[in-house]
Amino acid sequence: MLVISVRSDRIDAASAIAFKEDLRSRIEHGPPRVILDLSQVTFLDSSGLGAVVAAKKLVGPGRSFELSGLTGAVEKVFRLTRMDSVFTIHASLPQAFRDAV
Amino acid sequence: MRYDPRPPAVPPPVLLHLTVQGDAVSVSDGLRRVMALPFWSPMSADFATSAELVLAEVLNNVAEHAYAGTSGEIEVSLERTAAGVAIRVADRGGPMPQNRLPEGAAPDPRDLQEGGFGWHLIRSLARDLTYRRLDGWNLFSFRIDDLPPAKQSH
């Protein structure tokens, strides 16, 4: 299992490309389960959402890409775009560990 | 009546105007500064989040498309109203395609598209959205209300 904790408080149009490239290098050949912890992210726009979706596609269907710790602002973007229906989302990182199969 | 030595509370400003350069880094820095101002203090955190998201999507659309490959300034004015905030955005970049706003239909989440969500987010959160092209300016106006979302009918 690979846990990536995002330290930045914003994933927006200014940072999304660098964030996406950074994620790519970390997850491309990783373990079967990847958890992206967003508990420190207080703002995410459509560009940031695109970067997270790109990471899910890169991990591919044979592995699991999950999210944890969505703050209110981030959760709102996932809800309004209905992306919350295609991601496994854990309330927190400890919860993600407990939810392990 | 007792003498109260405390100075009267200064209400947060009702109007706010800012000019940002039309690029993603300037928009990000500008929003970070604007959202820290006392202008937002009478409103809920959830409302401020919605306002920041709509502003980010509109301003980044200007930076990415209207000012594509060029530079220019974006003028933003915010006015606090009884219901929330009325916002106007103006830029001198290229016009919107067909001189109108995109419909903002939401992509199917199962398609895992990486883009195409910006105008959907704007239209989900903003009201009375207008766009005009006037004398080389793009003029956008919209309101964001600090009210609980309408209950969805089932």
Side-chain angles (χ1 to χ4, degrees), chain B residues 6-26:
Chain B
R6 290 173 301 181
V10 178
V14 174
L15 275 168
L16 200 61
H17 185 89
L18 71 144
T19 304
V20 281
Q21 281 298 121
D23 64 83
V25 172
S26 301

Side-chain angles (χ1 to χ4, degrees), chain B residues 57-144:
Chain B
E57 298 299 339
V58 172
L59 299 190
N60 281 316
N61 186 75
V62 171
E64 195 176 333
H65 299 292
Y67 284 133
T70 65
S71 62
E73 290 177 336
I74 311 175
E75 308 285 340
V76 185
S77 70
L78 302 101
E79 181 183 0
R80 228 179 32 241
T81 63
V85 173
I87 300 176
R88 281 184 290 180
V89 175
D91 69 81
R92 304 204 57 139
M96 295 293 295
Q98 286 102 49
N99 271 312
R100 58 187 166 90
L101 294 170
E103 300 230 342
D108 188 325
R110 289 168 298 181
D111 294 340
L112 293 179
Q113 287 186 33
E114 291 172 40
F117 291 101
W119 283 102
H120 173 66
L121 289 171
I122 294 167
R123 288 197 180 275
S124 300
L125 297 168
R127 287 158 209 263
D128 294 347
L129 183 61
T130 70
Y131 167 71
R132 276 193 305 152
R133 179 77 179 175
L134 188 68
D135 293 339
W137 288 86
N138 293 312
L139 306 170
F140 302 89
S141 71
F142 48 91
R143 290 188 300 110
I144 302 166

Side-chain angles (χ1 to χ4, degrees), chain A residues 9-10 12-14 20 43-47 49-50 53-54 56-57 72-73 76-77 80-83 85-87, chain B residues 24-25 28 31-32 46 49-50 52-53 56-57 60 106-110 112-114 117-118 120-121 124-125:
Chain A
D9 61 346
R10 298 177 77 90
D12 61 13
K20 191 165 127 179
F43 184 78
L44 175 119
D45 66 10
S46 65
S47 301
L49 177 70
V53 171
K56 179 177 173 63
K57 286 199 285 192
K76 180 178 276 185
V77 173
L80 290 172
T81 57
R82 291 186 294 133
M83 276 295 172
S85 65
V86 293
F87 280 88
Chain B
V25 172
S28 181
L31 284 180
R32 193 190 283 275
D46 186 59
T49 288
S50 294
E52 182 174 14
L53 184 56
E57 298 299 339
N60 281 316
D108 188 325
R110 289 168 298 181
L112 293 179
Q113 287 186 33
E114 291 172 40
F117 291 101
H120 173 66
L121 289 171
S124 300
L125 297 168

Side-chain angles (χ1 to χ4, degrees), chain A residues 53-65:
Chain A
V53 171
K56 179 177 173 63
K57 286 199 285 192
L58 191 66
V59 165
R63 298 158 65 203
S64 181
F65 182 74

